[in-house]
Amino acid sequence: MTSRAVRTSLLPLAFVALIVLALVSIFIGVTAISPIDVITGRADDGAVLTLIVSRLPRTLAVILAGAALAVAGLLMQLLARNRFVEPSTVGTVESAGLGLLAVTILAPAVSVFGKMLVATVFALAGTALFLLLIRNVRQRDSVHVPLIGIMLSGIIGAVATFIAYRHDLLQTLASWTVGNFSSVLQGRYELLYLVAILTGIAMLAADRFTVAGLGAEFTTNLGLNYRRVLAFGMGIIAVISAVVVTVVGAIPFLGLVVPNIVSMIVGDSARRGIPWVAVAGAGFALSCDIIGRTVRYPYEIPVGTVAGVIGAAIFLYLLLRRNSRVH
């Protein structure tokens, strides 16, 4: 069996593993819900209400957010032509949070959808600023580019923190910077359906993003408009980041480590990689959420905190692995 056939056969197994994680997530919580009682129809009304209003929406929100952030990370890596960047390390997520902070201060009565639009504009500006900075850097190796992104993220985050401090909104800002699904209920997560649509669009345009990742000159020689592809990809990244930050907050490192791990299995083609990245991103987010709900049961650790710890460890491994291969 060829390596391609092996990869194709493993994808359904990855879906099965994702379904298993989703079922585990649904039946974990302070309120005891028996899967057997649900299947046989013997569950009481309170358990059924908890399942419909809280557990199912939460699990679906985790899946949608994880898959979309992983795909956004892959697109960011292709557009920046660097494997060690993602929206939460280049200022995109911090810019979205700054936009939410600005609209909260200046127009607090704006709807959630309006806040998401403002966050999208700020996220798009932050992403464009990062790409502009790295374009003017002469030495664009795998270390300098993420360092520039981290510094930009730190500056934007510091500005947001200062403004939040002056307006007594530090707690509100923290809710956007640390991903937490504990408040997800029916009627408060449906905006995430938009990121599912954008993930599908990214899959359809995958070949264009793969070509754009080879550089402006190569893209132009193949008859594509590099600037349009770049703007299109930036738009997808900005909207996904803004929606996820608005609904559940930021989940660090997810968009960085998942595409890198997937590329080791399926290669650098976006068309082959996006389905894998989406499934792996959803599985990573679900795993972090389950860990956060069981480590201190019945209390809960935010999924953003768990993802930060696990993602940082994997990121260090990837860096060390790359350095060992170079030497």
Side-chain angles (χ1 to χ4, degrees), residues 111-149:
S111 65
V112 174
F113 186 75
K115 291 180 179 179
M116 185 271 291
L117 291 179
V118 174
T120 299
V121 173
F122 273 73
L124 190 60
T127 306
L129 178 59
F130 167 72
L131 293 176
L132 180 63
L133 288 174
I134 64 173
R135 185 180 300 173
N136 291 285
V137 174
R138 293 181 179 179
Q139 190 175 358
R140 291 180 54 183
D141 58 24
S142 60
V143 175
H144 285 86
V145 171
L147 281 178
I148 292 171

Side-chain angles (χ1 to χ4, degrees), residues 5 12 41 74 88 124 142 155 157 168 223 237 255 281 313 316 324 327:
L74 175 63
S88 68
L124 190 60
S142 60
I155 293 171
D168 197 22
I237 294 168
L316 287 174
S324 64
H327 296 294

Side-chain angles (χ1 to χ4, degrees), residues 75 78 198-212 224 229 232-233 236 270-271 274:
L75 296 185
L78 287 173
L198 292 174
T199 301
I201 293 174
M203 190 177 301
L204 293 175
D207 290 338
R208 295 176 181 269
F209 294 128
T210 301
V211 173
L224 294 176
V229 176
F232 183 47
I236 292 177
R271 178 170 294 278
I274 284 181

Side-chain angles (χ1 to χ4, degrees), residues 30-44:
V30 177
T31 302
I33 301 176
S34 171
I36 297 176
D37 290 344
V38 173
I39 295 173
T40 58
R42 293 183 297 178
D44 58 64

